[in-house]
Every structure is written in C-alpha cells, then in structure tokens.
C-alpha cells in the first residue's frame, strides 16, 4: 500500500531553519506530484508548497514564498521542504501528500497523505 512518512520536524527558534523530508513507498513516485500542507491548532489544513512530478513546476502561497523551498529526489522517492526564517505562526503539523495529474493547492485534490510531523517555532 502507499505510504508517505514525514520526518525532520522539531522545535526551533524564530529565524531558524528546518528541513522536512517525506519518504514515499508503494507508488511510482516519479509520476506523482507532491504537496506539503500544514495544520495549526484549531485551524484547517493549509497549503504550503507543491512540486510537479518532474520538478519543473513549483507553487507556494504568499505566506511562505521566499522563505520555503520544495525539492524532490525521484531516485530516492523523497520530497523535501526547506524552511528558512521560521516564524511562530509557522507552528503546525506538516503533512506531505501525493496526487497524479497536475500540481494542486487544495487538500481535497490529493490522494495520499502522510501522518504528519510537528514543527514548533518559539519566539
């Protein structure tokens, strides 16, 4: 079955950096578009980043643009989220997700999800 396993979360001070990883198995990773979402306490799931299957296209919301980057290694079946200049409002559980077809920015468009990794940014 399809498994997406996130790692790399933790506690970091404001202004710091973290790199999240998402290891995929059970699917032909190189044919899937990947996304990162986050969910803070009492909030809905929010789009953070997306990357196309061939890494030629990426998408970010204004809230993270210029601070976060997304990349992938199809040989390692892994997608990464590099987060710089972190702010307390970035505190959330971060999830990776996979879908076929084009990249997308809403959670309903994704087919598979990981279990999430906690990111906490202290002020």
């Amino acid at each position: 079955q399809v498994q997406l396993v996130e790692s790399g979360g933790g506690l970091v001070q404001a202004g710091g950096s973290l790199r999240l990883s998402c290891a995929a198995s059970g699917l032909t990773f190189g044919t899937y578009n990947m996304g990162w979402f986050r969910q803070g306490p009492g909030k809905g799931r929010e789009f953070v980043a997306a990357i196309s299957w061939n890494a030629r296209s990426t998408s970010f919301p204004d809230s993270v643009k210029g601070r976060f980057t997304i990349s992938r290694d199809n040989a390692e079946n892994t997608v990464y989220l590099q987060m710089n200049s972190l702010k307390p409002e970035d505190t959330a559980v971060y999830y990776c997700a996979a879908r076929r077809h084009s990249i997308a920015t809403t959670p309903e468009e994704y087919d598979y999800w990981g279990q999430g990794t906690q990111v906490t940014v202290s002020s």
Side-chain angles (χ1 to χ4, degrees):
Q1 72 278 21
V2 175
Q3 281 194 311
L4 303 176
V5 180
E6 302 94 337
S7 61
L11 174 63
V12 63
Q13 287 189 329
S17 298
L18 280 176
R19 188 175 84 152
L20 306 184
S21 300
C22 172
S25 61
L27 50 71
T28 306
F29 182 74
T31 67
Y32 277 78
N33 303 283
M34 302 299 294
W36 285 95
F37 291 79
R38 66 187 180 188
Q39 189 163 13
K43 299 182 180 180
R45 201 159 288 193
E46 175 190 14
F47 170 65
V48 174
I51 188 167
S52 62
W53 62 273
N54 58 5
R56 290 180 182 174
S57 297
T58 59
S59 180
F60 303 90
D62 288 344
S63 58
V64 307
K65 198 171 291 184
R67 300 190 297 124
F68 290 11
T69 58
I70 187 171
S71 61
R72 65 188 295 158
D73 184 339
N74 285 350
E76 295 294 329
N77 289 358
T78 302
V79 61
Y80 303 97
L81 182 69
Q82 178 67 44
M83 306 186 294
N84 299 327
S85 302
L86 283 162
K87 304 175 181 179
E89 51 263 44
D90 294 319
T91 295
V93 177
Y94 283 70
Y95 299 89
C96 71
R99 75 183 300 268
R100 299 295 299 274
H101 310 296
S102 59
I103 61 175
T105 61
T106 61
E108 295 78 14
E109 296 178 276
Y110 283 80
D111 301 313
Y112 302 107
W113 290 85
Q115 80 286 359
T117 186
Q118 176 71 46
V119 171
T120 303
V121 184
S122 63
S123 57

